Amino acid sequence: MEILNQFMKLFVLDIRNTMGLLFWGNFTLAILVFTFRYTLDNKESRKKLLIFGLSKTFLALAWLAFFLEKTQPHSMLSNSSSQIP
């Protein structure tokens, strides 16, 4: 039972780790899609893979922004709202 408890401590998933996993997973898949795209000859397939790769890149950037928003305070927003008359 002790071995199982030690093994489960390796897989602690909180919100920050989950967002990091989602960022790195989408970013890695985008890189793989872009590299695979160059091996194809069919223009329509290359266009579809470009759209899919760009969507994965934007999704990775969105997860990164959400990750940074959870770790950094809203200092810019709070300072700018106090300056509005």
Side-chain angles (χ1 to χ4, degrees):
M1 200 64 183
E2 181 66 29
I3 296 171
L4 181 63
N5 288 337
Q6 292 295 326
F7 182 72
M8 291 306 288
K9 285 183 182 179
L10 293 174
F11 299 106
V12 176
L13 287 179
D14 58 348
I15 295 297
R16 188 171 183 218
N17 290 343
T18 305
M19 286 187 290
L21 265 167
L22 287 168
F23 165 72
W24 285 112
N26 284 314
F27 186 68
T28 305
L29 186 60
I31 290 173
L32 288 173
V33 166
F34 284 132
T35 54
F36 176 68
R37 184 177 165 264
Y38 289 114
T39 63
L40 295 177
D41 293 331
N42 187 357
K43 285 190 176 192
E44 186 167 331
S45 296
R46 289 182 76 174
K47 183 179 179 182
K48 288 179 182 178
L49 282 176
L50 175 67
I51 292 170
F52 183 70
L54 287 175
S55 67
K56 283 296 176 182
T57 303
F58 288 135
L59 189 58
L61 291 175
W63 281 115
L64 180 64
F66 192 60
F67 175 79
L68 292 176
E69 186 256 334
K70 287 293 183 188
T71 58
Q72 302 293 326
H74 290 287
S75 61
M76 291 179 63
L77 291 176
S78 63
N79 289 338
S80 65
S81 64
S82 64
Q83 295 173 356
I84 298 174

